[in-house]
Amino acid sequence: YPFSRLNEFNRDCYDAWISGLECPTKTGVNMTSSEEDSTLTFNCSPEYIPEASKWFTAFTLANNHTDNQGPEGLAETKQHLEKNDIQYFGNPDPNVIDDICEVISLPVTVKKDDGSSQAGKLPVAMCGYHAVFQLPTQESVDIISEYSDIMPVIAFPHMGKEYQSTPDDLKINFYRSLIDGGAEMVIGDHPHWIQTSESYNGHLIV
């Protein structure tokens, strides 16, 4: 059911889809939707993951819900993703900086000089930042530079005030700091509304 209309977005026209997973996947958790709504504590059925693997290449786990079932739930979520060949990056604990960036193997189409093309793989560092409750430290931003001299880096900050059409200056300055730190582009989420985009020093911030 959660994936029932994704076919309307022409998945076969893209080499990869990346998204945020805001639902831990732990067996034996039975919560009603009203319980989830009232507590903002989530859990998804493991039955969802094989279907998710048909659509998504990688998930960021750096958000304020992936840890809703505790460390055991997070560990089991990673196991389900690995079993279904879904790559992941980021950590729901903003103080765990070792997990911010991971090298993701992106499927790409390689076009040759003779006009032909073939499937290939491209290593890309993806960096997830959970910043709903606090701004990431400069130390966590500096991690980008460990990758940016070697491969493209895409930063995925999870932050911002909900249901606002534009980010505030604090968020804008942080997004730009990720570009200054070496990211090729910044893709932010969390506000639940589509906000503004900009080209900053020739790099895309969405």
Side-chain angles (χ1 to χ4, degrees), residues 94-135:
N95 297 311
V96 178
I97 65 173
D98 291 344
D99 290 347
I100 287 176
C101 299
E102 295 288 348
V103 178
I104 301 298
S105 177
L106 280 186
V108 294
T109 301
V110 180
K111 295 191 176 182
K112 300 181 178 181
D113 291 340
D114 62 6
S116 65
S117 61
Q118 69 179 54
K121 298 286 187 180
L122 178 69
V124 175
M126 297 193 174
C127 304
Y129 291 89
H130 171 199
V132 173
F133 306 116
Q134 65 187 54
L135 279 177

Side-chain angles (χ1 to χ4, degrees), residues 3-54:
F3 313 98
S4 59
R5 297 186 63 182
L6 290 181
N7 61 328
E8 298 176 17
F9 293 94
N10 304 314
R11 174 66 177 88
D12 56 351
C13 294
Y14 301 89
D15 291 311
W17 273 8
I18 315 298
S19 188
L21 181 65
E22 288 202 68
C23 202
T25 303
K26 190 173 187 296
T27 55
V29 177
N30 297 305
M31 301 176 65
T32 66
S33 58
S34 61
E35 288 174 330
E36 291 188 344
D37 288 344
S38 63
T39 63
L40 291 180
T41 301
F42 304 139
N43 190 71
C44 286
S45 168
E47 296 175 357
Y48 288 175
I49 303 299
E51 181 66 24
S53 69
K54 299 176 184 177

Side-chain angles (χ1 to χ4, degrees), residues 122-192:
L122 178 69
V124 175
M126 297 193 174
C127 304
Y129 291 89
H130 171 199
V132 173
F133 306 116
Q134 65 187 54
L135 279 177
T137 63
Q138 185 61 47
E139 182 185 12
S140 68
V141 174
D142 291 342
I143 290 176
I144 291 176
S145 64
E146 298 177 14
Y147 298 86
S148 59
D149 289 339
I150 305 169
M151 65 185 71
V153 177
I154 305 175
F156 293 78
H158 187 86
M159 62 193 302
K161 192 172 181 179
E162 296 178 336
Y163 311 114
Q164 301 293 315
S165 59
T166 56
D168 58 40
D169 289 342
L170 198 64
K171 308 304 184 298
I172 290 173
N173 290 335
F174 176 70
Y175 300 150
R176 291 176 176 176
S177 77
L178 295 172
I179 298 294
D180 293 337
E184 290 292 331
M185 71 176 71
V186 174
I187 302 174
D189 71 338
H190 178 69
H192 301 287

